Amino acid sequence: MIKLNSKLPNVGTTIFTEMSALSNEYNALNLSQGFPNYEPDEKLRELVSFYINNGKNQYAPMSGVQALRESIAHKIKNIYNIPINPNSEITVTAGGTQAIFTSILAFVNKGDEVIVVEPAFDCYNPAIELVGGIIVPYEMKSPEFQIDWQELQKLISDKTRMLIINTPHNPSGSILKNEDFEKLEIIIKNKNIIVLSDEVYEHLIFDGEKHCSILKYPTLFKQSIAVFSFGKTFHCTGWKVGYAVMPSNLMEEFRKVHQFNVFSVNSFVQNALADYLKDSEHYNYLPNFYQQKRDLLSSYINKSRLKLIPSRGSYFVLCDYSAVSNLPDKDFSVWMTKEKKLASIPISVFYSSGKQEKLIRFCFAKTEDLLHQAGQIIEKL
Ligand code: GLN
């Protein structure tokens, strides 16, 4: 038998795959893995079909289709009023996860420390492990899930190479504000640290708040990477298209890795997105669209024995289930899927310490009908 020396000995199948599979097996309502149960706009689907039938089937340029990079630069200018060079500062990636993975691969060396703000999306830490980096977790505290920058600063050492932040935040639904970025800018000034800012939920932000992108801070941006996702924005998570934005000196290194990893992303979807992205109405409606869904699910949670942790952004909401059960969170999620036919995600998997807080996450990127059905189960828990 072949002897394997696993590079990720402690990693199993991701919780998202596991819970979605369990949900299907038990015919449960799937509020676990984050994906919409509705289709992308027909107009966008028609554009994809147009380009697949009109010659956009060979390799796209390595950095992404020119028209798409230009549309992205235009969108960034339109929303954040920042000039970004479409040729040297944007690369189209096979989803946000690839942009994150490639960034870690390109910039983190063996023995480098990476500060990860936890609870953290589960793709960050394995990527750091694979390159021989050292994970330095900073734990945000429930229920606010804010960053105390003074505390975080204590984790910075001579070996710190990267800091990973995420706003709007998966899984907690918290957001970073202007003050956060001002403090961040001060603590990493003149330090050889790259900030990897996962902003894939940039348009999913509620209560009149505006998304604070790291792109808006010129000094900070000189040492930053911002990652975005079309899957979250246009309800097409299965297309796996996103992009990374960074200054050109970083981008040169990023592309060295990107070209030998994916080379380039499928061309017909990129061409379709290039056209579709031009109309800002295609994303401006999202805060309101998702706020209604958040409010609908939250209203059921508020009538139940679950305790709601209000979501400010993303398409996730957290609940404390300690009034319902003493089970550890994974066991509770599995029990609820099997017995109550409602799937969720346990939060302990987002901590490298496996911290148990009796919290679960629901995804509300679902039709009203499904949210009502889920709400009726929640009410009776
Ligand atoms: N980002 C989504 C979530 O947090 C799904 C990611 C995945 O399935 N890999 O649920």
Side-chain angles (χ1 to χ4, degrees), residues 14 16-17 32-35 97 121-122 170 201 232 315-316 345 350 361:
T14 93
F16 308 109
T17 302
S32 64
Q33 189 178 22
F35 64 90
T97 296
F121 183 53
D122 72 342
N170 177 11
Y201 300 101
K232 313 309 190 264
Y315 45 45
F316 303 115
I345 295 286
F350 293 81
R361 186 195 82 176

Side-chain angles (χ1 to χ4, degrees), residues 1 16 23 28 31 38 54 57 71 97 109 117 135 161 168 173 177 184 191 250 257 266-267 288 319 350 357 369:
M1 215 174 35
F16 308 109
S23 181
L31 267 53
Y38 32 84
N54 283 275
N57 295 303
S71 288
T97 296
N109 287 307
V117 175
I135 300 157
R161 185 73 186 114
K177 297 197 176 173
L184 169 60
K191 293 203 167 69
L250 295 184
V257 177
N266 77 80
S267 50
N288 188 32
C319 305
F350 293 81
E357 294 178 298
D369 174 49

